[in-house]
Amino acid sequence: MGLSARKRLGDLLVEAGAITQQQLDFALANKPKAEKLGDFLISENLLTEQQLIEVLEFQLGVPHISISQFMIDPELVQLLPKDLAKRSLIMPLTREKNKLLIAMADPMDYFAIEEVRMATGCQIETCIATKDDLKRAISKYYDLQETMDAALNDLMPAENSDETEILDDDSPIVKLVNQIISNAVVQRASDIHFDPQETEFRIRYRIDGVLRTERSLPKNMQNMVIARIKIMGNLNITESRLPQDGRIKANINLHPVDIRLSTLPTVYGEKVVMRVLDLNNSHGDLGKLGFSENNLVHFKEMISKPNGIVLITGPTGSGKSSTLSTALTYLNSEEVNIITVEDPVEYQLDGVNQIQVREEIGLTFATGLRSILRQDPDIIMIGEIRDLETAQIATRASLTGHLVLSTLHTNSAAESISRLFDMGIEPFLLSSSIVGVVAQRLVRRVCRDCGEYHDLSSEELEIFAKHHIPISKVKRGKGCTSCNNTGYRGRLAIHEILGVDEEVKELILKKASLADIKRHMSRNGYRTLLEDGLLKVADGVTTTEEILRVATEE
């Protein structure tokens, strides 16, 4: 490495025009001492990982690669110690005689390169890979492969489903299950599915709302893995004919993670689904939920009312719980008493009194709500309004000076009102209690690193013209290592908000039809889910296909 290559990263980025000198000065003044400059710039949204890689690639002449293109020899993996690979995010790729090619996130980390040279005794050549790509590869080659081989060797002599195997923290099966969970957290999966098939045991991850098979395990590992998961969730190991539910709290890679567990007996054995809640994704910033500026103002107004009902609606998996818990965090202060009744309690919030519904002992939403009203609450959150009794108590609570937040399974904001009529709520009660309804869906976000602008197709031109939304280009991801070649990374919500003004109250009192309420919404400039989504396509954050997948033309 010549002296020219020893330039500092900040200077390279300013020279390349990726950031300004002011941004560099801000970053150097504010970044924590232990954090690398590149990581801080990316976390502050001053730079994307792709821009950083392009500058390094161009200025240092270090190529950028995707690890999935390489067939990595397990012997190579043995060559580089696991703790070094994890600590410095380095993956060995190929070796020719005495030359070792390594992929790293930061090719300017000369200390790490020197450490690899000392550990392997090889001459080192470097290339750049994205952090996510490296984390996935290290997890796959160092952790999963290692624990899987050990678990397989352990099981080979006989199918000994020995009790110590699934209790001992150092046993291969225990390590394998922990590794599957930590791999899911690294890949930002929301659910892990353990699917028993006739000849294999399949593990699938749901990432950004889409299921993908991660790997298949031999059938003879099925019972041991499931028994281990049941022990983690305090379930009954001997009961495999009835569905069971449980909960696991774990620390994965120093991340606190909360896992909801559900088992279901199928023809080929028990299917297990884990819902992973990453507790580090702090709920508290309403601005990060994807509300448009206009909708955010409306939503804040609704939840700041002293009393009334605010409903959040949408199908399962549309982010209702996240929106509710973020709203509660926003409202949470010393001056208010917030009590929730949920089934199950998903996000545990500091300073909020949360009740878990337990139908088997008679603690239902309705009984929980009755007791809550004697606890002097200011704000009540009901996990879901499922029946007339719950709806009636919620309505009365809102009329006696409480703010009630809840969810309902309907497709649009207007449908929620007719659903409450159908349940049997009197129109005069509903019109005086309901403050507003929010319908929401989750759509995948275009990957920041590989998004490119394209011309609109004729169908898209037609849709945008029909809704009078100006747009010249749409952004689509072409697929790269950081988004696992999907073109999407992360999700955001689209919303439809119906504020209950005097006119809507009149409509409710008249028990107006769904069509009447929708007509009122379109006359008064309310945006439907579809329109809010199309505006987000125009902003370049998602694609038309994603919007049409979750919201239909009226």
mmCIF file with all atom_site columns, all heavy atoms in Angstrom, residues 305-311 369 373 378-382 385 393-399 402-406 435:
data_model
loop_
_atom_site.group_PDB
_atom_site.id
_atom_site.type_symbol
_atom_site.label_atom_id
_atom_site.label_alt_id
_atom_site.label_comp_id
_atom_site.label_asym_id
_atom_site.label_entity_id
_atom_site.label_seq_id
_atom_site.pdbx_PDB_ins_code
_atom_site.Cartn_x
_atom_site.Cartn_y
_atom_site.Cartn_z
_atom_site.occupancy
_atom_site.B_iso_or_equiv
_atom_site.pdbx_formal_charge
_atom_site.auth_seq_id
_atom_site.auth_comp_id
_atom_site.auth_asym_id
_atom_site.auth_atom_id
_atom_site.pdbx_PDB_model_num
ATOM 1   N N   . LYS A 1 305 ? -56.877 13.921 21.197 1.00 0.00 ? 305 LYS A N   1
ATOM 2   C CA  . LYS A 1 305 ? -58.199 14.282 21.745 1.00 0.00 ? 305 LYS A CA  1
ATOM 3   C C   . LYS A 1 305 ? -58.316 13.722 23.162 1.00 0.00 ? 305 LYS A C   1
ATOM 4   O O   . LYS A 1 305 ? -57.775 12.647 23.455 1.00 0.00 ? 305 LYS A O   1
ATOM 5   C CB  . LYS A 1 305 ? -59.307 13.665 20.870 1.00 0.00 ? 305 LYS A CB  1
ATOM 6   C CG  . LYS A 1 305 ? -59.396 14.256 19.462 1.00 0.00 ? 305 LYS A CG  1
ATOM 7   C CD  . LYS A 1 305 ? -60.425 15.355 19.415 1.00 0.00 ? 305 LYS A CD  1
ATOM 8   C CE  . LYS A 1 305 ? -60.388 16.187 18.157 1.00 0.00 ? 305 LYS A CE  1
ATOM 9   N NZ  . LYS A 1 305 ? -60.772 15.549 16.932 1.00 0.00 ? 305 LYS A NZ  1
ATOM 10  N N   . PRO A 1 306 ? -59.040 14.437 24.046 1.00 0.00 ? 306 PRO A N   1
ATOM 11  C CA  . PRO A 1 306 ? -59.154 13.924 25.425 1.00 0.00 ? 306 PRO A CA  1
ATOM 12  C C   . PRO A 1 306 ? -60.021 12.672 25.535 1.00 0.00 ? 306 PRO A C   1
ATOM 13  O O   . PRO A 1 306 ? -59.868 11.862 26.438 1.00 0.00 ? 306 PRO A O   1
ATOM 14  C CB  . PRO A 1 306 ? -59.802 15.095 26.180 1.00 0.00 ? 306 PRO A CB  1
ATOM 15  C CG  . PRO A 1 306 ? -60.470 15.914 25.121 1.00 0.00 ? 306 PRO A CG  1
ATOM 16  C CD  . PRO A 1 306 ? -59.697 15.732 23.867 1.00 0.00 ? 306 PRO A CD  1
ATOM 17  N N   . ASN A 1 307 ? -60.984 12.523 24.608 1.00 0.00 ? 307 ASN A N   1
ATOM 18  C CA  . ASN A 1 307 ? -61.810 11.310 24.665 1.00 0.00 ? 307 ASN A CA  1
ATOM 19  C C   . ASN A 1 307 ? -62.319 10.959 23.261 1.00 0.00 ? 307 ASN A C   1
ATOM 20  O O   . ASN A 1 307 ? -62.231 11.771 22.338 1.00 0.00 ? 307 ASN A O   1
ATOM 21  C CB  . ASN A 1 307 ? -62.992 11.500 25.622 1.00 0.00 ? 307 ASN A CB  1
ATOM 22  C CG  . ASN A 1 307 ? -63.846 12.679 25.216 1.00 0.00 ? 307 ASN A CG  1
ATOM 23  O OD1 . ASN A 1 307 ? -63.402 13.810 25.294 1.00 0.00 ? 307 ASN A OD1 1
ATOM 24  N ND2 . ASN A 1 307 ? -65.059 12.426 24.743 1.00 0.00 ? 307 ASN A ND2 1
ATOM 25  N N   . GLY A 1 308 ? -62.853 9.747  23.143 1.00 0.00 ? 308 GLY A N   1
ATOM 26  C CA  . GLY A 1 308 ? -63.327 9.283  21.834 1.00 0.00 ? 308 GLY A CA  1
ATOM 27  C C   . GLY A 1 308 ? -62.633 7.996  21.452 1.00 0.00 ? 308 GLY A C   1
ATOM 28  O O   . GLY A 1 308 ? -61.739 7.525  22.156 1.00 0.00 ? 308 GLY A O   1
ATOM 29  N N   . ILE A 1 309 ? -63.088 7.405  20.320 1.00 0.00 ? 309 ILE A N   1
ATOM 30  C CA  . ILE A 1 309 ? -62.478 6.148  19.857 1.00 0.00 ? 309 ILE A CA  1
ATOM 31  C C   . ILE A 1 309 ? -61.678 6.422  18.589 1.00 0.00 ? 309 ILE A C   1
ATOM 32  O O   . ILE A 1 309 ? -62.183 7.068  17.665 1.00 0.00 ? 309 ILE A O   1
ATOM 33  C CB  . ILE A 1 309 ? -63.554 5.096  19.528 1.00 0.00 ? 309 ILE A CB  1
ATOM 34  C CG1 . ILE A 1 309 ? -64.363 4.731  20.774 1.00 0.00 ? 309 ILE A CG1 1
ATOM 35  C CG2 . ILE A 1 309 ? -62.931 3.830  18.951 1.00 0.00 ? 309 ILE A CG2 1
ATOM 36  C CD1 . ILE A 1 309 ? -65.450 3.700  20.512 1.00 0.00 ? 309 ILE A CD1 1
ATOM 37  N N   . VAL A 1 310 ? -60.436 5.928  18.545 1.00 0.00 ? 310 VAL A N   1
ATOM 38  C CA  . VAL A 1 310 ? -59.634 5.974  17.314 1.00 0.00 ? 310 VAL A CA  1
ATOM 39  C C   . VAL A 1 310 ? -59.396 4.527  16.893 1.00 0.00 ? 310 VAL A C   1
ATOM 40  O O   . VAL A 1 310 ? -58.900 3.719  17.686 1.00 0.00 ? 310 VAL A O   1
ATOM 41  C CB  . VAL A 1 310 ? -58.281 6.682  17.536 1.00 0.00 ? 310 VAL A CB  1
ATOM 42  C CG1 . VAL A 1 310 ? -57.443 6.631  16.259 1.00 0.00 ? 310 VAL A CG1 1
ATOM 43  C CG2 . VAL A 1 310 ? -58.486 8.123  17.975 1.00 0.00 ? 310 VAL A CG2 1
ATOM 44  N N   . LEU A 1 311 ? -59.789 4.191  15.673 1.00 0.00 ? 311 LEU A N   1
ATOM 45  C CA  . LEU A 1 311 ? -59.647 2.807  15.194 1.00 0.00 ? 311 LEU A CA  1
ATOM 46  C C   . LEU A 1 311 ? -58.545 2.706  14.148 1.00 0.00 ? 311 LEU A C   1
ATOM 47  O O   . LEU A 1 311 ? -58.424 3.583  13.286 1.00 0.00 ? 311 LEU A O   1
ATOM 48  C CB  . LEU A 1 311 ? -60.958 2.346  14.548 1.00 0.00 ? 311 LEU A CB  1
ATOM 49  C CG  . LEU A 1 311 ? -62.139 2.089  15.481 1.00 0.00 ? 311 LEU A CG  1
ATOM 50  C CD1 . LEU A 1 311 ? -63.378 1.749  14.660 1.00 0.00 ? 311 LEU A CD1 1
ATOM 51  C CD2 . LEU A 1 311 ? -61.827 0.953  16.453 1.00 0.00 ? 311 LEU A CD2 1
ATOM 52  N N   . LEU A 1 369 ? -61.780 -5.076 30.239 1.00 0.00 ? 369 LEU A N   1
ATOM 53  C CA  . LEU A 1 369 ? -62.178 -3.673 30.055 1.00 0.00 ? 369 LEU A CA  1
ATOM 54  C C   . LEU A 1 369 ? -62.991 -3.158 31.233 1.00 0.00 ? 369 LEU A C   1
ATOM 55  O O   . LEU A 1 369 ? -62.818 -2.027 31.678 1.00 0.00 ? 369 LEU A O   1
ATOM 56  C CB  . LEU A 1 369 ? -63.034 -3.556 28.793 1.00 0.00 ? 369 LEU A CB  1
ATOM 57  C CG  . LEU A 1 369 ? -62.327 -3.047 27.550 1.00 0.00 ? 369 LEU A CG  1
ATOM 58  C CD1 . LEU A 1 369 ? -63.274 -3.077 26.377 1.00 0.00 ? 369 LEU A CD1 1
ATOM 59  C CD2 . LEU A 1 369 ? -61.843 -1.621 27.774 1.00 0.00 ? 369 LEU A CD2 1
ATOM 60  N N   . LEU A 1 373 ? -61.858 0.120  33.782 1.00 0.00 ? 373 LEU A N   1
ATOM 61  C CA  . LEU A 1 373 ? -62.593 1.366  34.003 1.00 0.00 ? 373 LEU A CA  1
ATOM 62  C C   . LEU A 1 373 ? -62.623 1.755  35.488 1.00 0.00 ? 373 LEU A C   1
ATOM 63  O O   . LEU A 1 373 ? -62.882 2.894  35.827 1.00 0.00 ? 373 LEU A O   1
ATOM 64  C CB  . LEU A 1 373 ? -64.015 1.261  33.444 1.00 0.00 ? 373 LEU A CB  1
ATOM 65  C CG  . LEU A 1 373 ? -64.040 1.215  31.908 1.00 0.00 ? 373 LEU A CG  1
ATOM 66  C CD1 . LEU A 1 373 ? -65.433 0.925  31.401 1.00 0.00 ? 373 LEU A CD1 1
ATOM 67  C CD2 . LEU A 1 373 ? -63.523 2.510  31.309 1.00 0.00 ? 373 LEU A CD2 1
ATOM 68  N N   . ASP A 1 378 ? -56.666 7.151  31.742 1.00 0.00 ? 378 ASP A N   1
ATOM 69  C CA  . ASP A 1 378 ? -56.901 8.280  30.823 1.00 0.00 ? 378 ASP A CA  1
ATOM 70  C C   . ASP A 1 378 ? -57.004 7.743  29.398 1.00 0.00 ? 378 ASP A C   1
ATOM 71  O O   . ASP A 1 378 ? -57.812 8.195  28.606 1.00 0.00 ? 378 ASP A O   1
ATOM 72  C CB  . ASP A 1 378 ? -55.738 9.272  30.893 1.00 0.00 ? 378 ASP A CB  1
ATOM 73  C CG  . ASP A 1 378 ? -55.582 9.850  32.291 1.00 0.00 ? 378 ASP A CG  1
ATOM 74  O OD1 . ASP A 1 378 ? -56.453 10.640 32.669 1.00 0.00 ? 378 ASP A OD1 1
ATOM 75  O OD2 . ASP A 1 378 ? -54.616 9.488  32.984 1.00 0.00 ? 378 ASP A OD2 1
ATOM 76  N N   . ILE A 1 379 ? -56.117 6.785  29.105 1.00 0.00 ? 379 ILE A N   1
ATOM 77  C CA  . ILE A 1 379 ? -56.079 6.224  27.742 1.00 0.00 ? 379 ILE A CA  1
ATOM 78  C C   . ILE A 1 379 ? -56.177 4.707  27.847 1.00 0.00 ? 379 ILE A C   1
ATOM 79  O O   . ILE A 1 379 ? -55.487 4.076  28.661 1.00 0.00 ? 379 ILE A O   1
ATOM 80  C CB  . ILE A 1 379 ? -54.763 6.617  27.028 1.00 0.00 ? 379 ILE A CB  1
ATOM 81  C CG1 . ILE A 1 379 ? -54.686 8.144  26.885 1.00 0.00 ? 379 ILE A CG1 1
ATOM 82  C CG2 . ILE A 1 379 ? -54.671 5.955  25.647 1.00 0.00 ? 379 ILE A CG2 1
ATOM 83  C CD1 . ILE A 1 379 ? -53.327 8.657  26.475 1.00 0.00 ? 379 ILE A CD1 1
ATOM 84  N N   . ILE A 1 380 ? -57.074 4.133  27.029 1.00 0.00 ? 380 ILE A N   1
ATOM 85  C CA  . ILE A 1 380 ? -57.260 2.672  27.043 1.00 0.00 ? 380 ILE A CA  1
ATOM 86  C C   . ILE A 1 380 ? -56.949 2.161  25.643 1.00 0.00 ? 380 ILE A C   1
ATOM 87  O O   . ILE A 1 380 ? -57.380 2.745  24.658 1.00 0.00 ? 380 ILE A O   1
ATOM 88  C CB  . ILE A 1 380 ? -58.725 2.316  27.385 1.00 0.00 ? 380 ILE A CB  1
ATOM 89  C CG1 . ILE A 1 380 ? -59.091 2.838  28.780 1.00 0.00 ? 380 ILE A CG1 1
ATOM 90  C CG2 . ILE A 1 380 ? -58.963 0.823  27.288 1.00 0.00 ? 380 ILE A CG2 1
ATOM 91  C CD1 . ILE A 1 380 ? -60.580 2.774  29.070 1.00 0.00 ? 380 ILE A CD1 1
ATOM 92  N N   . MET A 1 381 ? -56.179 1.061  25.581 1.00 0.00 ? 381 MET A N   1
ATOM 93  C CA  . MET A 1 381 ? -55.951 0.448  24.271 1.00 0.00 ? 381 MET A CA  1
ATOM 94  C C   . MET A 1 381 ? -56.484 -0.974 24.307 1.00 0.00 ? 381 MET A C   1
ATOM 95  O O   . MET A 1 381 ? -56.154 -1.757 25.201 1.00 0.00 ? 381 MET A O   1
ATOM 96  C CB  . MET A 1 381 ? -54.460 0.448  23.940 1.00 0.00 ? 381 MET A CB  1
ATOM 97  C CG  . MET A 1 381 ? -54.185 0.093  22.486 1.00 0.00 ? 381 MET A CG  1
ATOM 98  S SD  . MET A 1 381 ? -53.989 -1.664 22.216 1.00 0.00 ? 381 MET A SD  1
ATOM 99  C CE  . MET A 1 381 ? -52.225 -1.824 22.337 1.00 0.00 ? 381 MET A CE  1
ATOM 100 N N   . ILE A 1 382 ? -57.370 -1.288 23.357 1.00 0.00 ? 382 ILE A N   1
ATOM 101 C CA  . ILE A 1 382 ? -57.941 -2.638 23.269 1.00 0.00 ? 382 ILE A CA  1
ATOM 102 C C   . ILE A 1 382 ? -57.319 -3.287 22.034 1.00 0.00 ? 382 ILE A C   1
ATOM 103 O O   . ILE A 1 382 ? -57.401 -2.736 20.935 1.00 0.00 ? 382 ILE A O   1
ATOM 104 C CB  . ILE A 1 382 ? -59.476 -2.575 23.090 1.00 0.00 ? 382 ILE A CB  1
ATOM 105 C CG1 . ILE A 1 382 ? -60.100 -1.707 24.170 1.00 0.00 ? 382 ILE A CG1 1
ATOM 106 C CG2 . ILE A 1 382 ? -60.080 -3.957 23.092 1.00 0.00 ? 382 ILE A CG2 1
ATOM 107 C CD1 . ILE A 1 382 ? -61.512 -1.282 23.856 1.00 0.00 ? 382 ILE A CD1 1
ATOM 108 N N   . ILE A 1 385 ? -61.348 -5.159 18.592 1.00 0.00 ? 385 ILE A N   1
ATOM 109 C CA  . ILE A 1 385 ? -62.787 -5.216 18.911 1.00 0.00 ? 385 ILE A CA  1
ATOM 110 C C   . ILE A 1 385 ? -63.354 -6.388 18.112 1.00 0.00 ? 385 ILE A C   1
ATOM 111 O O   . ILE A 1 385 ? -63.418 -6.336 16.888 1.00 0.00 ? 385 ILE A O   1
ATOM 112 C CB  . ILE A 1 385 ? -63.480 -3.893 18.548 1.00 0.00 ? 385 ILE A CB  1
ATOM 113 C CG1 . ILE A 1 385 ? -62.975 -2.783 19.476 1.00 0.00 ? 385 ILE A CG1 1
ATOM 114 C CG2 . ILE A 1 385 ? -64.999 -4.037 18.660 1.00 0.00 ? 385 ILE A CG2 1
ATOM 115 C CD1 . ILE A 1 385 ? -63.563 -1.418 19.239 1.00 0.00 ? 385 ILE A CD1 1
ATOM 116 N N   . ILE A 1 393 ? -68.658 -1.639 25.518 1.00 0.00 ? 393 ILE A N   1
ATOM 117 C CA  . ILE A 1 393 ? -67.905 -1.099 26.665 1.00 0.00 ? 393 ILE A CA  1
ATOM 118 C C   . ILE A 1 393 ? -66.932 -0.019 26.167 1.00 0.00 ? 393 ILE A C   1
ATOM 119 O O   . ILE A 1 393 ? -66.754 1.022  26.804 1.00 0.00 ? 393 ILE A O   1
ATOM 120 C CB  . ILE A 1 393 ? -67.143 -2.219 27.417 1.00 0.00 ? 393 ILE A CB  1
ATOM 121 C CG1 . ILE A 1 393 ? -68.115 -3.312 27.871 1.00 0.00 ? 393 ILE A CG1 1
ATOM 122 C CG2 . ILE A 1 393 ? -66.425 -1.660 28.635 1.00 0.00 ? 393 ILE A CG2 1
ATOM 123 C CD1 . ILE A 1 393 ? -67.444 -4.554 28.408 1.00 0.00 ? 393 ILE A CD1 1
ATOM 124 N N   . ALA A 1 394 ? -66.295 -0.274 24.991 1.00 0.00 ? 394 ALA A N   1
ATOM 125 C CA  . ALA A 1 394 ? -65.350 0.701  24.430 1.00 0.00 ? 394 ALA A CA  1
ATOM 126 C C   . ALA A 1 394 ? -66.074 2.016  24.146 1.00 0.00 ? 394 ALA A C   1
ATOM 127 O O   . ALA A 1 394 ? -65.572 3.107  24.443 1.00 0.00 ? 394 ALA A O   1
ATOM 128 C CB  . ALA A 1 394 ? -64.736 0.149  23.153 1.00 0.00 ? 394 ALA A CB  1
ATOM 129 N N   . THR A 1 395 ? -67.287 1.922  23.578 1.00 0.00 ? 395 THR A N   1
ATOM 130 C CA  . THR A 1 395 ? -68.061 3.124  23.249 1.00 0.00 ? 395 THR A CA  1
ATOM 131 C C   . THR A 1 395 ? -68.418 3.886  24.526 1.00 0.00 ? 395 THR A C   1
ATOM 132 O O   . THR A 1 395 ? -68.250 5.101  24.610 1.00 0.00 ? 395 THR A O   1
ATOM 133 C CB  . THR A 1 395 ? -69.364 2.724  22.512 1.00 0.00 ? 395 THR A CB  1
ATOM 134 O OG1 . THR A 1 395 ? -69.050 1.760  21.524 1.00 0.00 ? 395 THR A OG1 1
ATOM 135 C CG2 . THR A 1 395 ? -69.999 3.909  21.836 1.00 0.00 ? 395 THR A CG2 1
ATOM 136 N N   . ARG A 1 396 ? -68.878 3.157  25.540 1.00 0.00 ? 396 ARG A N   1
ATOM 137 C CA  . ARG A 1 396 ? -69.253 3.829  26.799 1.00 0.00 ? 396 ARG A CA  1
ATOM 138 C C   . ARG A 1 396 ? -68.029 4.476  27.445 1.00 0.00 ? 396 ARG A C   1
ATOM 139 O O   . ARG A 1 396 ? -68.111 5.583  27.968 1.00 0.00 ? 396 ARG A O   1
ATOM 140 C CB  . ARG A 1 396 ? -69.876 2.823  27.771 1.00 0.00 ? 396 ARG A CB  1
ATOM 141 C CG  . ARG A 1 396 ? -71.281 2.452  27.365 1.00 0.00 ? 396 ARG A CG  1
ATOM 142 C CD  . ARG A 1 396 ? -72.068 1.792  28.489 1.00 0.00 ? 396 ARG A CD  1
ATOM 143 N NE  . ARG A 1 396 ? -73.154 1.029  27.886 1.00 0.00 ? 396 ARG A NE  1
ATOM 144 C CZ  . ARG A 1 396 ? -73.187 -0.293 27.830 1.00 0.00 ? 396 ARG A CZ  1
ATOM 145 N NH1 . ARG A 1 396 ? -72.228 -1.012 28.333 1.00 0.00 ? 396 ARG A NH1 1
ATOM 146 N NH2 . ARG A 1 396 ? -74.202 -0.914 27.257 1.00 0.00 ? 396 ARG A NH2 1
ATOM 147 N N   . ALA A 1 397 ? -66.898 3.767  27.391 1.00 0.00 ? 397 ALA A N   1
ATOM 148 C CA  . ALA A 1 397 ? -65.670 4.306  27.998 1.00 0.00 ? 397 ALA A CA  1
ATOM 149 C C   . ALA A 1 397 ? -65.282 5.622  27.322 1.00 0.00 ? 397 ALA A C   1
ATOM 150 O O   . ALA A 1 397 ? -64.871 6.581  27.977 1.00 0.00 ? 397 ALA A O   1
ATOM 151 C CB  . ALA A 1 397 ? -64.532 3.296  27.863 1.00 0.00 ? 397 ALA A CB  1
ATOM 152 N N   . SER A 1 398 ? -65.437 5.670  25.985 1.00 0.00 ? 398 SER A N   1
ATOM 153 C CA  . SER A 1 398 ? -65.050 6.887  25.267 1.00 0.00 ? 398 SER A CA  1
ATOM 154 C C   . SER A 1 398 ? -66.006 8.036  25.605 1.00 0.00 ? 398 SER A C   1
ATOM 155 O O   . SER A 1 398 ? -65.620 9.198  25.615 1.00 0.00 ? 398 SER A O   1
ATOM 156 C CB  . SER A 1 398 ? -65.039 6.635  23.765 1.00 0.00 ? 398 SER A CB  1
ATOM 157 O OG  . SER A 1 398 ? -66.354 6.496  23.293 1.00 0.00 ? 398 SER A OG  1
ATOM 158 N N   . LEU A 1 399 ? -67.274 7.700  25.901 1.00 0.00 ? 399 LEU A N   1
ATOM 159 C CA  . LEU A 1 399 ? -68.249 8.746  26.224 1.00 0.00 ? 399 LEU A CA  1
ATOM 160 C C   . LEU A 1 399 ? -68.086 9.264  27.654 1.00 0.00 ? 399 LEU A C   1
ATOM 161 O O   . LEU A 1 399 ? -68.545 10.343 27.987 1.00 0.00 ? 399 LEU A O   1
ATOM 162 C CB  . LEU A 1 399 ? -69.683 8.217  26.029 1.00 0.00 ? 399 LEU A CB  1
ATOM 163 C CG  . LEU A 1 399 ? -70.061 7.911  24.577 1.00 0.00 ? 399 LEU A CG  1
ATOM 164 C CD1 . LEU A 1 399 ? -71.420 7.241  24.514 1.00 0.00 ? 399 LEU A CD1 1
ATOM 165 C CD2 . LEU A 1 399 ? -70.070 9.185  23.738 1.00 0.00 ? 399 LEU A CD2 1
ATOM 166 N N   . HIS A 1 402 ? -62.760 8.942  28.292 1.00 0.00 ? 402 HIS A N   1
ATOM 167 C CA  . HIS A 1 402 ? -61.492 8.226  28.056 1.00 0.00 ? 402 HIS A CA  1
ATOM 168 C C   . HIS A 1 402 ? -61.170 8.234  26.569 1.00 0.00 ? 402 HIS A C   1
ATOM 169 O O   . HIS A 1 402 ? -62.082 8.192  25.741 1.00 0.00 ? 402 HIS A O   1
ATOM 170 C CB  . HIS A 1 402 ? -61.598 6.765  28.528 1.00 0.00 ? 402 HIS A CB  1
ATOM 171 C CG  . HIS A 1 402 ? -61.996 6.630  29.962 1.00 0.00 ? 402 HIS A CG  1
ATOM 172 N ND1 . HIS A 1 402 ? -63.320 6.504  30.337 1.00 0.00 ? 402 HIS A ND1 1
ATOM 173 C CD2 . HIS A 1 402 ? -61.275 6.623  31.105 1.00 0.00 ? 402 HIS A CD2 1
ATOM 174 C CE1 . HIS A 1 402 ? -63.377 6.414  31.663 1.00 0.00 ? 402 HIS A CE1 1
ATOM 175 N NE2 . HIS A 1 402 ? -62.154 6.486  32.146 1.00 0.00 ? 402 HIS A NE2 1
ATOM 176 N N   . LEU A 1 403 ? -59.869 8.238  26.253 1.00 0.00 ? 403 LEU A N   1
ATOM 177 C CA  . LEU A 1 403 ? -59.463 8.064  24.855 1.00 0.00 ? 403 LEU A CA  1
ATOM 178 C C   . LEU A 1 403 ? -59.254 6.561  24.652 1.00 0.00 ? 403 LEU A C   1
ATOM 179 O O   . LEU A 1 403 ? -58.506 5.926  25.403 1.00 0.00 ? 403 LEU A O   1
ATOM 180 C CB  . LEU A 1 403 ? -58.159 8.815  24.559 1.00 0.00 ? 403 LEU A CB  1
ATOM 181 C CG  . LEU A 1 403 ? -57.619 8.619  23.142 1.00 0.00 ? 403 LEU A CG  1
ATOM 182 C CD1 . LEU A 1 403 ? -58.537 9.266  22.106 1.00 0.00 ? 403 LEU A CD1 1
ATOM 183 C CD2 . LEU A 1 403 ? -56.211 9.193  22.999 1.00 0.00 ? 403 LEU A CD2 1
ATOM 184 N N   . VAL A 1 404 ? -59.955 5.981  23.677 1.00 0.00 ? 404 VAL A N   1
ATOM 185 C CA  . VAL A 1 404 ? -59.858 4.537  23.439 1.00 0.00 ? 404 VAL A CA  1
ATOM 186 C C   . VAL A 1 404 ? -59.214 4.297  22.074 1.00 0.00 ? 404 VAL A C   1
ATOM 187 O O   . VAL A 1 404 ? -59.670 4.830  21.060 1.00 0.00 ? 404 VAL A O   1
ATOM 188 C CB  . VAL A 1 404 ? -61.260 3.876  23.469 1.00 0.00 ? 404 VAL A CB  1
ATOM 189 C CG1 . VAL A 1 404 ? -61.148 2.379  23.204 1.00 0.00 ? 404 VAL A CG1 1
ATOM 190 C CG2 . VAL A 1 404 ? -61.943 4.119  24.805 1.00 0.00 ? 404 VAL A CG2 1
ATOM 191 N N   . LEU A 1 405 ? -58.129 3.513  22.048 1.00 0.00 ? 405 LEU A N   1
ATOM 192 C CA  . LEU A 1 405 ? -57.493 3.137  20.778 1.00 0.00 ? 405 LEU A CA  1
ATOM 193 C C   . LEU A 1 405 ? -57.740 1.655  20.567 1.00 0.00 ? 405 LEU A C   1
ATOM 194 O O   . LEU A 1 405 ? -57.624 0.872  21.513 1.00 0.00 ? 405 LEU A O   1
ATOM 195 C CB  . LEU A 1 405 ? -55.982 3.380  20.827 1.00 0.00 ? 405 LEU A CB  1
ATOM 196 C CG  . LEU A 1 405 ? -55.475 4.771  21.197 1.00 0.00 ? 405 LEU A CG  1
ATOM 197 C CD1 . LEU A 1 405 ? -53.957 4.793  21.251 1.00 0.00 ? 405 LEU A CD1 1
ATOM 198 C CD2 . LEU A 1 405 ? -55.946 5.800  20.194 1.00 0.00 ? 405 LEU A CD2 1
ATOM 199 N N   . SER A 1 406 ? -58.072 1.267  19.322 1.00 0.00 ? 406 SER A N   1
ATOM 200 C CA  . SER A 1 406 ? -58.278 -0.164 19.094 1.00 0.00 ? 406 SER A CA  1
ATOM 201 C C   . SER A 1 406 ? -58.085 -0.506 17.626 1.00 0.00 ? 406 SER A C   1
ATOM 202 O O   . SER A 1 406 ? -57.887 0.380  16.787 1.00 0.00 ? 406 SER A O   1
ATOM 203 C CB  . SER A 1 406 ? -59.675 -0.584 19.539 1.00 0.00 ? 406 SER A CB  1
ATOM 204 O OG  . SER A 1 406 ? -59.756 -2.001 19.468 1.00 0.00 ? 406 SER A OG  1
ATOM 205 N N   . VAL A 1 435 ? -63.835 9.188  16.763 1.00 0.00 ? 435 VAL A N   1
ATOM 206 C CA  . VAL A 1 435 ? -63.070 10.398 16.429 1.00 0.00 ? 435 VAL A CA  1
ATOM 207 C C   . VAL A 1 435 ? -62.441 10.258 15.047 1.00 0.00 ? 435 VAL A C   1
ATOM 208 O O   . VAL A 1 435 ? -62.346 11.215 14.294 1.00 0.00 ? 435 VAL A O   1
ATOM 209 C CB  . VAL A 1 435 ? -61.937 10.592 17.475 1.00 0.00 ? 435 VAL A CB  1
ATOM 210 C CG1 . VAL A 1 435 ? -61.001 11.699 17.058 1.00 0.00 ? 435 VAL A CG1 1
ATOM 211 C CG2 . VAL A 1 435 ? -62.511 10.872 18.835 1.00 0.00 ? 435 VAL A CG2 1
#
